[in-house]
Amino acid sequence: MKTILLITSILIISNPIKSQPGFENYHDRNDFFLTSPGAMQLGLYGYDNPALLNFTDHFDLMFAWSGEYGSFNRRGLFLSLPSFGFVPQTGFAVVNHTIDDKQITDYRVSTAFGGETFGIGAGFNLSVRDTEYFNRDHTITLGTIYHPSSFFSLGLTGTSVTNFSHYEGTIDLALRPFGNEKLTIFGDYALRNDMRIFDGYWSTGLAVKALPGIRLTGRYFSFDTFTAGMQFSLGNIGISTQGAFNDLKYNHNTYAVRVGSYEKNMPDKFRRARNWASIDLRKPMRYQRYKHFDESYTLLEKLQLIDAVAENDRFGGIVINTTGMDISHTMSWELREQLKKFRETGKSVIIFIDNAGMNTYHFASVADLIIMHPFGTINLPGYIKGNVYLGNMLEKVGIGFKEFRFHEYKSGFEPLSGDRMSDEDRKQHQKMVDEFYNLVKEDVMFSRGFTEDEYERFINEIFHFTAEKAHEHGLVDTLGRWTDVNDIIDALVGSEIRLLEDNRLQRFLQRTDYSWGRKPKVAVIYAEGFCDMETGMKARSLADDIAEAREDNTVKAIVLRVESPGGSTLAMDIIAEELRKAKEEKPVIISQGAVAASGGYWLSMYSDVIVAAPNTVTGSIGVIAGWLYDKGIKEKLGYTTDFVKKGEFADMGFGIPVPILNMPLLDRRFTEQEEKIIVDMMTNTYERFVTEIADARGKEYDDVEAISRGRIWSGKDAMEAGLVDTLGSLMTAINIALEKAGIDIEEGYEIVEYPDPELFSFSGLIAFFVSRMIEVESPEVTKDPLVQYLQFLNKHNSEPLLLLPLEYMDYYFD
């Protein structure tokens, strides 16, 4: 970059161009625009400085003209096109003007590339003169622009005829004292080769963004000319004008009309919004999707979409299709909370349902209006939490299981060791079911205006609702099909609306951004699945991602989304240590998903704030260990084993492979000496776990131990117990991170997500193409949770584990 700046500077100082017919000087050439090129918006889309195209990636078209008292002797058409594939941003311009009574038309094409703060561009210009003979003057323009921060902009351009006999060079500077568009101070300097270095032409001025979409400008030129201008935006359309005065006498006016990308503006605040956003929830929702062949949604994109529609004055509401909705109970709550905030803006939410259960109806109840398919049903049975117990089955097939459990609530291995819930496990699961039930009950009663008696009757007496019965009891507001939604909303708002969805909606929400410099970033990192070294959340790789975010100076805060039932203590410690280091340098906020317990809570310790949903499953601070071993299955399958060894404990991990499960079983039980070693490991791990939490949360050891002992907590109860700081969604965590990092939301920021998504999954690839051949939705292809659970357990046979029971593998509450 320094080399480019040096070359352009030499071009300016050493090789200025002599003005000649067909080759206007810098200030005449840019007469249409109200400021220096780099000071406001994107100039003339590369006609003035081609490097400016680097900072736009949308379509814009502008027509401008100038003259005195209705006589327009200068006209221009300017076009900006976004990048496409390997083709960078491109600008086109056609300008017709008069020099020495000769009509000249300039045709220019420009392009640019670069990064967040620096751009370089080039343009080629063909000038056609209207003379008695046909003549062309070709010119090229090179430009650079540098935005090192939100306060400063530097632009350099050099223009030359193609035989390099004449040159012109310019430099323009701009300052924003407040780091935004509210006030911009600018100046420029142009030099030709018939001038000494201090004899060039210059201008200086101010640009003020008085209100959204309204800018005022004033500019003084060294040749005693003054201009005053105004720019007014109507959203996708903008108009501007400026008057030029010589020696305080009126000289001429310039005008411009722009069509293209949307800019926030004042008129939209007073117009009836006729646009509605259509949000589809008919596909699975995850945290990240594969880069290719994956049509699932992500939680963050839907939360941000709702937020973007709320801020856009052109939208009157949101309509959501929940057909086939497949998301976790916690994600559903987070979306519901975002819609509650959306309604606080005065905009409306309409939700369409066909078949709904407890979670889907809970989500839909937030709406101003619920539309139900005439042949749909609503089932409200309440909640149940249970487990499958494999102890007797394992005994019958000849597989033994040894459980070490020292904490009454740490029930992670009960499904493998017993045949029913222990009293302690029943107590904590009943408390969890009650919390989930009451959350839905309170939300639905508040949103729909039901009494407690009415709600309890729905659950305990009626349960099953046809569409007519749901309408009769006030569960829904009207009956209709998804194809009727437009007409229903038209009747509701009293005028015809326009429903925007998918890519069209995204394009409509796209807004221009004229800020300078690198935007501050918030890193959102997903810690999802079993905590293991190379599988699940892949601890080594995830720790590297956290370190990368910590070392990146543009990342001002980290949000870690934890969705994990726990796992290996070694893997968790590797990740937690990186979080501890990160917390010393920048804010670290934890967002807990459906499950962030046991080892999942270990990952939450080193943070400034822990955010959980009220229906998050968290806590479970405790340690368990267990192992599967041969208790007759070897003989039943016809296996025999034999070995030689050197070392007393060398055969501890020796065993037989089990078909289908692709896992080994230990060949024998552990000895008393070996069991004592394991017990000591567990005791040390538990004491360290509690100590680390006490230190991280600023509590006494005994206080933490009293709420530990393996007990699971809902997010709501965990906040009361001091394990969680506040209730909220992923967006809540992001907003807290912004606040703690001192980032002004109005000035803009970026979210970077880790880890980098994989290209595709083989099963997803097959499902993608099959769904198109037979025209069905892509199925959700996953491994069986029981198989995953048993494989993980056997991989870590006899290790102290921070792990929840099998039922939390799915992260769903059925």
Side-chain angles (χ1 to χ4, degrees):
M1 186 183 73
K2 291 181 179 179
T3 304
I4 295 171
L5 292 173
L6 178 61
I7 293 173
T8 312
S9 301
I10 294 172
L11 192 70
I12 293 171
I13 297 172
S14 305
N15 298 294
I17 185 168
K18 184 175 182 179
S19 184
Q20 58 177 325
F23 192 154
E24 295 181 294
N25 65 49
Y26 165 78
H27 288 111
D28 289 339
R29 195 164 62 245
N30 301 319
D31 180 52
F32 288 133
F33 205 61
L34 283 62
T35 67
S36 301
M40 193 172 77
Q41 296 176 296
L42 299 171
L44 295 175
Y45 311 132
Y47 183 78
D48 41 8
N49 185 344
L52 284 168
L53 290 168
N54 176 66
F55 301 100
T56 179
D57 199 19
H58 54 260
F59 168 85
D60 252 20
L61 177 68
M62 185 172 73
F63 177 68
W65 65 98
S66 67
E68 181 181 359
Y69 301 119
S71 175
F72 304 119
N73 56 15
R74 187 178 184 87
R75 293 165 293 276
L77 186 68
F78 307 91
L79 173 66
S80 167
L81 295 177
S83 59
F84 179 77
F86 295 103
V87 180
Q89 295 92 327
T90 306
F92 297 94
V94 179
V95 178
N96 179 268
H97 55 101
T98 302
I99 295 181
D100 298 331
D101 297 325
K102 303 296 183 182
Q103 287 292 317
I104 297 176
T105 302
D106 292 330
Y107 301 90
R108 179 172 298 193
V109 59
S110 306
T111 189
F113 61 91
E116 287 184 89
T117 62
F118 178 75
I120 180 171
F124 177 76
N125 188 88
L126 173 66
S127 293
V128 179
R129 302 185 193 179
D130 183 19
T131 64
E132 62 276 5
Y133 60 92
F134 193 68
N135 183 37
R136 290 184 177 90
D137 288 320
H138 308 316
T139 60
I140 56 174
T141 299
L142 298 177
T144 62
I145 195 150
Y146 182 43
H147 297 154
S149 72
S150 60
F151 300 94
F152 178 72
S153 173
L154 167 65
L156 300 171
T157 58
T159 302
S160 169
V161 294
T162 51
N163 63 8
F164 300 105
S165 59
H166 303 288
Y167 300 91
E168 180 187 51
T170 61
I171 180 172
D172 69 270
L173 300 172
L175 300 174
R176 290 177 174 173
F178 307 113
N180 54 41
E181 281 195 277
K182 291 179 180 178
L183 174 63
T184 305
I185 305 168
F186 63 88
D188 52 38
Y189 190 78
L191 200 64
R192 302 195 313 263
N193 67 337
D194 59 347
M195 299 176 177
R196 291 176 297 183
I197 192 169
F198 297 111
D199 292 338
Y201 294 120
W202 54 267
S203 76
T204 186
L206 299 174
V208 177
K209 188 175 182 179
L211 291 169
I214 299 177
R215 296 176 177 85
L216 305 175
T217 64
R219 189 178 185 184
Y220 178 78
F221 297 83
S222 58
F223 38 86
D224 294 329
T225 294
F226 173 78
T227 61
M230 183 182 73
Q231 188 182 77
F232 189 70
S233 174
L234 299 173
N236 295 96
I237 300 174
I239 57 176
S240 63
T241 182
Q242 70 173 341
F245 303 86
N246 286 340
D247 295 326
L248 301 181
K249 296 180 181 179
Y250 171 76
N251 184 270
H252 69 279
N253 262 79
T254 63
Y255 309 90
V257 177
R258 180 195 68 86
V259 179
S261 58
Y262 175 77
E263 182 178 13
K264 194 171 183 180
N265 60 92
M266 291 299 295
D268 277 349
K269 294 184 178 297
F270 305 101
R271 287 194 293 234
R272 177 186 288 271
R274 63 181 296 262
N275 299 300
W276 278 62
S278 175
I279 298 180
D280 193 351
L281 295 180
R282 291 181 292 178
K283 298 171 185 174
M285 183 171 291
R286 303 189 181 96
Y287 291 119
Q288 289 182 295
R289 65 167 68 87
Y290 292 99
K291 291 181 178 179
H292 304 290
F293 311 114
D294 187 351
E295 296 183 311
S296 58
Y297 304 123
T298 70
L299 174 64
L300 183 57
E301 72 182 2
K302 291 302 182 185
L303 293 172
Q304 290 179 311
L305 178 59
I306 295 170
D307 193 45
V309 176
E311 292 183 357
N312 195 303
D313 295 324
R314 297 182 297 173
F315 283 85
I318 286 175
V319 58
I320 298 175
N321 187 350
T322 66
T323 300
M325 189 170 80
D326 180 16
I327 62 178
S328 74
H329 61 278
T330 303
M331 288 184 178
S332 176
W333 180 85
E334 291 177 276
L335 290 172
R336 192 182 191 279
E337 287 297 295
Q338 197 73 9
L339 290 172
K340 280 175 62 177
K341 294 177 182 178
F342 178 88
R343 289 185 60 189
E344 292 172 2
T345 66
K347 300 182 180 184
S348 301
V349 174
I350 295 176
I351 295 181
F352 173 83
I353 61 176
D354 47 19
N355 295 318
M358 292 290 293
N359 289 338
T360 300
Y361 185 73
H362 176 220
F363 171 76
S365 67
V366 75
D368 296 276
L369 186 80
I370 301 177
I371 305 171
M372 184 175 180
H373 193 284
F375 291 95
T377 60
I378 297 176
N379 292 318
L380 302 177
Y383 286 109
I384 185 172
K385 194 63 184 171
N387 210 341
V388 176
Y389 292 85
L390 307 177
N392 292 336
M393 184 202 75
L394 294 176
E395 184 75 22
K396 287 181 179 181
V397 299
I399 297 177
F401 181 77
K402 174 63 178 178
E403 177 188 18
F404 278 98
R405 173 178 172 182
F406 303 107
H407 310 116
E408 61 270 31
Y409 293 104
K410 195 65 178 176
S411 59
F413 287 157
E414 276 192 13
L416 299 177
S417 62
D419 58 4
R420 61 179 54 86
M421 286 184 185
S422 65
D423 291 341
E424 293 81 9
D425 202 32
R426 185 177 300 278
K427 176 182 176 181
Q428 65 179 348
H429 284 315
Q430 186 62 59
K431 183 68 165 66
M432 192 67 63
V433 167
D434 292 344
E435 287 294 328
F436 279 51
Y437 183 88
N438 291 333
L439 171 67
V440 175
K441 175 181 174 179
E442 292 169 6
D443 283 347
V444 172
M445 286 172 53
F446 179 82
S447 297
R448 301 297 298 176
F450 297 134
T451 66
E452 184 173 2
D453 289 342
E454 287 176 317
Y455 183 85
E456 293 294 346
R457 182 168 175 265
F458 294 157
I459 303 294
N460 298 311
E461 296 182 24
I462 303 176
F463 155 59
H464 177 80
F465 295 84
T466 63
E468 291 82 1
K469 188 182 289 186
H471 187 228
E472 176 187 341
H473 285 88
L475 291 171
V476 300
D477 299 291
T478 187
L479 304 183
R481 294 170 174 81
W482 177 247
T483 52
D484 302 327
V485 165
N486 259 81
D487 294 335
I488 293 172
I489 301 176
D490 288 348
L492 177 68
V493 301
S495 61
E496 186 175 347
I497 62 101
R498 178 170 58 174
L499 209 57
L500 300 177
E501 58 186 7
D502 299 331
N503 293 333
R504 190 180 179 202
L505 174 60
Q506 295 292 346
R507 290 195 299 270
F508 206 79
L509 287 170
Q510 186 180 36
R511 290 167 55 176
T512 52
D513 181 9
Y514 302 123
S515 60
W516 295 342
R518 287 190 176 92
K519 288 187 178 61
K521 297 181 177 69
V522 173
V524 176
I525 304 175
Y526 301 105
E528 184 179 8
F530 276 127
C531 194
D532 204 3
M533 298 300 290
E534 305 300 337
T535 61
M537 64 177 66
K538 301 178 182 177
R540 287 193 179 91
S541 176
L542 189 65
D544 289 341
D545 289 334
I546 297 170
E548 181 179 328
R550 171 175 59 86
E551 294 166 1
D552 186 344
N553 292 330
T554 65
V555 172
K556 305 303 180 183
I558 294 173
V559 173
L560 183 77
R561 175 71 171 207
V562 181
E563 188 73 87
S564 174
S568 161
T569 54
L570 173 62
M572 285 179 291
D573 183 69
I574 288 174
I575 298 172
E577 179 62 15
E578 282 299 333
L579 288 169
R580 185 190 62 77
K581 293 177 183 177
K583 184 176 180 290
E584 294 175 354
E585 299 183 22
K586 56 190 68 175
V588 173
I589 313 300
I590 299 298
S591 170
Q592 295 186 335
V595 178
S598 196
Y601 191 82
W602 186 304
L603 300 182
S604 306
M605 291 187 303
Y606 294 116
S607 61
D608 294 277
V609 178
I610 300 177
V611 182
N615 51 5
T616 293
V617 178
T618 189
S620 190
I621 301 165
V623 183
I624 53 174
W627 61 89
L628 297 162
Y629 62 91
D630 170 42
K631 197 176 180 181
I633 192 173
K634 185 167 62 174
E635 288 74 18
K636 292 179 181 181
L637 295 177
Y639 277 94
T640 60
T641 59
D642 201 359
F643 58 84
V644 296
K645 70 172 186 175
K646 179 71 173 178
E648 182 63 27
F649 306 109
D651 61 331
M652 280 184 67
F654 181 76
I656 64 170
V658 178
I660 302 176
L661 294 182
N662 190 30
M663 53 184 279
L665 293 178
L666 298 185
D667 209 28
R668 64 170 176 82
R669 288 193 58 162
F670 290 166
T671 65
E672 290 186 8
Q673 183 182 6
E674 290 167 340
E675 290 185 0
K676 183 179 183 305
I677 293 172
I678 293 171
V679 169
D680 289 342
M681 290 170 56
M682 292 178 61
T683 302
N684 291 335
T685 301
Y686 178 72
E687 290 178 353
R688 181 185 172 190
F689 194 179
V690 174
T691 301
E692 296 267 1
I693 293 173
D695 291 343
R697 302 290 295 168
K699 295 178 177 293
E700 295 296 326
Y701 180 95
D702 290 343
D703 294 334
V704 175
E705 212 277 334
I707 56 176
S708 298
R709 307 196 63 78
R711 183 168 182 173
I712 58 172
W713 302 83
S714 69
K716 177 175 174 290
D717 287 343
M719 186 174 71
E720 295 175 0
L723 294 174
V724 165
D725 296 299
T726 188
L727 300 180
S729 67
L730 178 60
M731 285 302 296
T732 305
I734 291 172
N735 289 332
I736 292 173
L738 292 171
E739 180 182 356
K740 287 192 170 294
I743 298 173
D744 187 345
I745 297 178
E746 293 297 322
E747 301 303 327
Y749 64 94
E750 291 182 11
I751 290 179
V752 290
E753 296 180 87
Y754 297 88
D756 187 39
E758 297 179 6
L759 289 177
F760 62 87
S761 71
F762 184 72
S763 59
L765 177 63
I766 294 174
F768 181 86
F769 286 109
V770 168
S771 68
R772 277 152 178 74
M773 287 188 288
I774 62 176
E775 297 183 352
V776 298
E777 292 293 329
S778 301
E780 177 73 1
V781 181
T782 60
K783 281 187 173 183
D784 183 85
L786 175 59
V787 175
Q788 286 186 300
Y789 188 79
L790 291 175
Q791 287 176 338
F792 180 84
L793 170 62
N794 205 66
K795 179 181 177 181
H796 297 279
N797 245 342
S798 77
E799 290 183 24
L801 297 176
L802 311 182
L803 188 65
L804 280 176
L806 170 63
E807 62 260 38
Y808 294 100
M809 275 293 296
D810 280 329
Y811 311 147
Y812 289 89
F813 205 91
D814 300 324

